[in-house]
Amino acid sequence: MNRRYRKTIIAGNWKMNKTLTETKAFAEEFKPMLGRPKWCEVVLCVPAVNLQAAIRMFKDSRVSIGAENCHYESSGAFTGEMSPEMLKDIGVKYVIIGHSERRQYYNETDFTVNKKVKAALEAGLRPIVCVGESLEQRELGVTIDLITYQVKCALAGVPAEKMRHVVFAYEPIWAIGTGKTATSAEAQEVCEAIRTVIRKLYGARMARAVTIQYGGSMNPKNAQELLAQPDVDGGLIGGAALKPDQLMDIVNAANQD
Ligand code: 13P
């Protein structure tokens, strides 16, 4: 983390979890734990069907609500999809783009990720852009090359004035839902590489200001060490974000002086 230059953001990605009833129960337990605002911003990315209710539930708290996906067109014949404008209009602030599960199961590519990033920014949302390598790619030694490519693709055509709204999440695929976390050195190396790409594209000042999260089996036990890395500015958290006390422990780790 480097709080002098950029925001620390702890974001939960609930994936396809929690009914409306369970979302309410979470909010009732989590809100009182949060207390007064401190350094880190807290975001909950929830299933689309519960977005509006979640926005209402967290209205009087410092939790922002995010979506888990959006389309790249603003309207049209795309059955079952949601546009960034629709999300913005109901009060959504963030949207996860290019999560590896969407790349793997729903054929998202670096090309569609780029279109979605631009569309989200155009609508006034903050995209959380996910990048990450598979175990095979890591073992081949191409991690940094691949991440550089993914970041460049995601940002193609993104103007500098919009860039400060972009958040990146480094999520090694082999660490997602496996209980196997990247070491803090591995997380730092890749987050630093992401910042280097941004520096080359947008200059040092912009690179310094962009929030880069780590995601992949982050939990209350390993959060502090990961967040202590200079280029790791927060977390995108799956499993541990489903439990109010675990998420709160991670937020507390990010809020340490
Ligand atoms: P886990 O924290 O469950 O490994 O999930 C990480 C993730 O995919 C967040 O987007």
Side-chain angles (χ1 to χ4, degrees), residues 11-13 15 96 99-101 130 171 175-179 215-218 236-241:
N13 173 11
K15 310 191 179 187
I96 297 173
H99 191 279
S100 62
E101 287 148 19
C130 300
E171 297 212 312
I176 295 176
T178 56
S217 300
M218 195 188 253
L236 185 56
I237 297 129

